[in-house]
Amino acid sequence: MIGARAVKTFSPKPRDIERRWYVVDANGAVLGRLASEVAKILRGKHKPIFAPHMDTGDHVIVVNAKGVRLTGGKEEKKVYVRHSGYPGGLNRVAFSRMIIRRPVQVVEKAITGMLPKNRLGRQMARKLAVYEGSEHPHQAQKPVALSLGEVPKWEGLPKPQPRTEPAPAPKGPRRKEEPRARRARSGAVAKPAGSRAGRAATKAPARSRGSSSAKSSRKKPEASDRAGPGSSKRSGSSSMRGSPKPDEAEEKAGTKRRSRSRKKTEKET
C-alpha cells in the first residue's frame, strides 16, 4: 500500500515480562473448562505482548481441587491408563476413583495436557500450584482472586528501572616499576636478572686479568700426553731420535757457564 507507514513487529524481551499471581477456586468447576482457562494464563495469552516462543504467562494457584466435576456421565467412562514397563504392568484407574485418591494429579494432568509438549511447556507448568483444600502457602506473594472466564487486567509494560553503575574499586598503593634493562655499549641488550643467564652472571665471581693471562701462560699438553697409552711407545722412539740426550744437554750448559766466567775474569784483569 503506497504511503503506508511500516511498523516493526514487536517481540517481547525479558525486561518486558512481569509475573503476577492469581488464585482460582476449582470447587464445582468443570474439569475441561478449568484447565483451558488456567492454561491461557500460564501461557500469557491474556497479554497483548504474547509470543508463542516465549513464556510470558503468570503464576496460578488452584485451590479446592477435590471439587472438580465432569459432565455427561463421564465419571466412570473416563479412565487414566499407565504402564509400569514390565509384562502385565498395565494399570487402569477410573475418574471416580482417581478424584478420591489423587485429586491434585487429576487437575495437573488436565492443565499440562493443554500446554506445549516441549521444554517451554515444562517451564510454564512450573508456575502452576494445585492444592486439594482451600489453603495455600503463597500468602507472601499477595495473589489476586480470579474467577473462571475473567480476563486479568492489563496494566502496561513494567517501568524501566534505572541502571545502577557499579562502584569503582578502591585504588591500592602503586607497585614500584622495575628499572628497564640498560643496553650495553656493544649494542647487546642486557638480560634480566630473572633469566637463567642473568642468575649465572650474578652468581659467577668477576675474574681478574691475571687469571686470564695465567690461563694463556699454561703450556699445552704435548702430543704424547694427548694420545693414548698405545701411542706413547711410538712417540717415545721418535722423540729419542730427534731430541738430544739429557747428558749431552747438561754438558753443553756447563761449557757455556765456563765460557761466561772466563770472559768476566779477563775483563777484570
Side-chain angles (χ1 to χ4, degrees):
M1 196 173 172
I2 300 172
R5 189 176 180 181
V7 180
K8 292 184 179 180
T9 303
F10 176 78
S11 181
K13 298 178 181 178
R15 66 170 178 265
D16 300 333
I17 300 171
E18 186 178 5
R19 311 287 185 189
R20 297 176 184 271
W21 289 75
Y22 298 101
V23 178
V24 178
D25 190 0
N27 192 15
V30 181
L31 181 60
R33 175 76 171 174
L34 172 69
S36 62
E37 293 295 333
V38 173
K40 287 179 183 179
I41 299 172
L42 291 174
R43 291 193 66 187
K45 298 194 80 173
H46 61 287
K47 297 180 180 180
I49 63 170
F50 168 74
H53 67 284
M54 292 190 68
D55 180 15
T56 59
D58 298 326
H59 297 267
V60 180
I61 305 166
V62 180
V63 295
N64 295 324
K66 203 170 185 178
V68 295
R69 62 187 178 87
L70 294 178
T71 59
K74 287 179 281 192
E75 289 82 358
E76 297 297 334
K77 295 178 184 178
K78 185 173 179 63
V79 179
Y80 294 93
V81 182
R82 67 181 182 87
H83 201 285
S84 64
Y86 292 93
L90 184 65
N91 296 322
R92 294 172 178 269
V93 183
F95 174 80
S96 59
R97 188 180 176 186
M98 193 75 169
I99 196 64
I100 297 171
R101 295 177 61 186
R102 297 178 180 177
V104 174
Q105 188 175 353
V106 170
V107 177
E108 286 180 349
K109 194 173 182 66
I111 295 172
T112 54
M114 297 185 181
L115 296 176
K117 309 302 186 291
N118 48 27
R119 65 177 68 180
L120 182 62
R122 291 190 291 271
Q123 181 180 344
M124 294 174 181
R126 294 192 193 102
K127 302 196 301 286
L128 174 65
V130 183
Y131 298 96
E132 183 178 350
S134 59
E135 296 180 359
H136 60 85
H138 303 286
Q139 298 294 342
Q141 281 72 29
K142 298 178 181 180
V144 180
L146 192 69
S147 60
L148 290 178
E150 182 182 355
V151 179
K153 186 179 179 182
W154 170 251
E155 297 180 0
L157 295 174
K159 296 180 180 180
Q161 298 179 356
R163 294 182 180 180
T164 56
E165 297 182 357
K171 295 182 179 180
R174 293 185 178 179
R175 296 181 180 179
K176 294 182 179 179
E177 297 181 356
E178 297 181 358
R180 295 181 181 179
R182 297 179 180 177
R183 294 187 178 182
R185 292 182 181 178
S186 60
V189 181
K191 295 183 178 180
S195 61
R196 293 183 180 178
R199 293 173 188 169
T202 53
K203 289 183 179 180
R207 294 177 181 178
S208 59
R209 295 180 182 177
S211 60
S212 59
S213 61
K215 272 190 175 182
S216 60
S217 63
R218 290 178 186 174
K219 293 181 180 180
K220 294 182 180 180
E222 294 181 359
S224 62
D225 297 339
R226 294 177 187 174
S231 60
S232 60
K233 295 179 181 179
R234 298 175 187 174
S235 60
S237 59
S238 60
S239 62
M240 290 294 290
R241 292 175 186 174
S243 60
K245 294 181 180 181
D247 297 339
E248 293 177 359
E250 290 178 0
E251 289 177 2
K252 287 181 179 180
T255 52
K256 288 180 180 180
R257 292 172 187 169
R258 291 171 190 170
S259 60
R260 288 175 184 171
S261 59
R262 287 175 184 174
K263 288 179 182 179
K264 288 181 180 181
T265 52
E266 288 175 359
K267 287 180 181 181
E268 289 176 357
T269 53

